[in-house]
Amino acid sequence: MGLFDKKFCGICGGKIGLFGNRKLEDGNLCKDCAAKLSPWFSERRHSTLEDIKGQLAYREENKAAVSAFHTTRSLGRYYKVYLDEDARKFMVTSASNLTQANPDVLDYSQVTGCDLDIEEDRDELKRKDPNGNSVSYNPPRYEYSYDFYITIRVNHPYFDDMRFKLNPSSVNTGERPMTGGSTNWNFRQRGINIPGLGMGVNDYNEYVQMGNEIKEALTQARQTVRDEVIAQTAPKNAVTCPWCGATTFPDASGCCEYCGGAVNA
């Protein structure tokens, strides 16, 4: 087949425009069908048509999960982590229209880890010499900017992680202070606001706090689920019921399985 031969979507059957094709391992996908896939999905080129059909079916089912989602807490400002603490579910999106965006709804139990990554970028400051040329300071001087990313590692059939940026634009903190060695900068990295550390420090501290709050919330939620599973599967010890004298394994309420009396009363 030639480069400009007509192509058709293997999902909806529609004709694909010149720049609208999304190549699959064994076929083609139009941009409209591709837009329905999870935003965290990145293995499209290595997917078959059957793989994509399976994911699109899941994405349709996910719409019901979004409708049933009851937000009890939200974290973040640009990208937001929405928590349904009663149902033990969460979703992540930057969209304001949740129904239209259809963000993936995951269980707390699907979280396998969460990290805050702070990426630093520096630009060298120059000065003009007597001839008007840009030259370095001695010693060199730099100004710094930062971006803050959260990576939520998950156990999910269509993606392994959810990586998103907390800040809509880089946070510029100006020049790193050199007085007193690196002591002041170490304070800033720990999220402690020290006057005179340059512009943007308050924003820096805010995003560090925001990232740690998201990390703590999801890590704690996952640990709670794990602890409950361990408690449920832990071997139970037989005791003698003080009411009926039977040897019993107390139920979840601590009552005798035979007479219903409170074993620990």
Side-chain angles (χ1 to χ4, degrees):
M1 295 180 65
L3 178 64
F4 298 105
D5 290 343
K6 293 181 180 178
K7 295 183 176 64
F8 295 89
C9 178
I11 301 298
C12 68
K15 182 181 176 180
I16 300 176
L18 182 60
F19 300 106
N21 188 34
R22 306 294 185 268
K23 187 65 179 171
L24 301 176
E25 194 172 274
D26 61 349
N28 300 298
L29 184 71
C30 71
K31 62 180 182 180
D32 292 335
C33 288
K36 298 176 183 178
L37 298 172
S38 168
W40 313 111
F41 176 65
S42 61
E43 296 296 320
R44 186 252 309 162
R45 279 189 169 272
H46 303 291
S47 300
T48 65
L49 283 168
E50 285 304 310
D51 293 334
I52 297 301
K53 288 177 181 178
Q55 183 178 166
L56 290 175
Y58 146 74
R59 291 286 290 160
E60 281 297 312
E61 294 173 358
N62 189 74
K63 292 179 180 179
V66 173
S67 297
F69 196 95
H70 177 62
T71 301
T72 58
R73 185 182 178 192
S74 65
L75 303 169
R77 188 165 59 239
Y78 172 45
Y79 265 90
K80 291 187 177 181
V81 178
Y82 294 93
L83 303 177
D84 184 341
E85 295 165 302
D86 298 325
R88 299 187 176 187
K89 296 180 182 294
F90 75 98
M91 55 187 180
V92 180
T93 184
S94 62
S96 56
N97 188 327
L98 299 181
T99 301
Q100 184 176 358
N102 190 26
D104 297 276
V105 177
L106 284 77
D107 294 327
Y108 285 173
S109 60
Q110 290 178 268
V111 176
T112 60
C114 186
D115 295 310
L116 168 63
D117 300 313
I118 305 174
E119 295 188 358
E120 178 184 88
D121 185 47
R122 71 178 189 177
D123 293 317
E124 184 177 359
L125 300 175
K126 300 289 185 75
R127 63 180 180 84
K128 295 290 185 180
D129 67 9
N131 297 320
N133 299 317
S134 293
V135 295
S136 298
Y137 288 95
N138 186 18
R141 293 168 57 184
Y142 302 92
E143 67 176 10
Y144 293 79
S145 60
Y146 297 86
D147 291 302
F148 305 81
Y149 293 89
I150 286 288
T151 301
I152 306 172
R153 297 187 299 279
V154 297
N155 181 9
H156 193 278
Y158 297 111
F159 49 88
D160 297 322
D161 58 61
M162 308 164 79
R163 179 175 170 83
F164 55 95
K165 192 176 177 181
L166 293 177
N167 51 310
S169 58
S170 297
V171 174
N172 192 325
T173 59
E175 286 191 73
R176 178 179 297 179
M178 300 303 294
T179 304
S182 61
T183 302
N184 287 346
W185 185 247
N186 288 336
F187 276 118
R188 188 161 79 189
Q189 285 185 307
R190 289 158 51 194
I192 300 173
N193 192 356
I194 304 297
L197 287 187
M199 59 183 176
V201 174
N202 288 337
D203 289 338
Y204 182 101
N205 292 336
E206 181 181 359
Y207 285 116
V208 169
Q209 181 178 353
M210 185 185 300
N212 285 330
E213 188 177 11
I214 292 171
K215 179 180 177 180
E216 181 181 358
L218 290 176
T219 303
Q220 191 174 61
R222 170 58 178 161
Q223 189 60 47
T224 299
V225 173
R226 289 175 61 90
D227 290 344
E228 290 181 356
V229 170
I230 292 173
Q232 291 172 3
T233 57
K236 297 180 174 63
N237 296 321
V239 297
T240 300
C241 176
W243 302 100
C244 67
T247 300
T248 180
F249 292 94
D251 61 20
S253 300
C255 296
C256 174
E257 60 185 313
Y258 300 107
C259 71
V263 174
N264 297 322

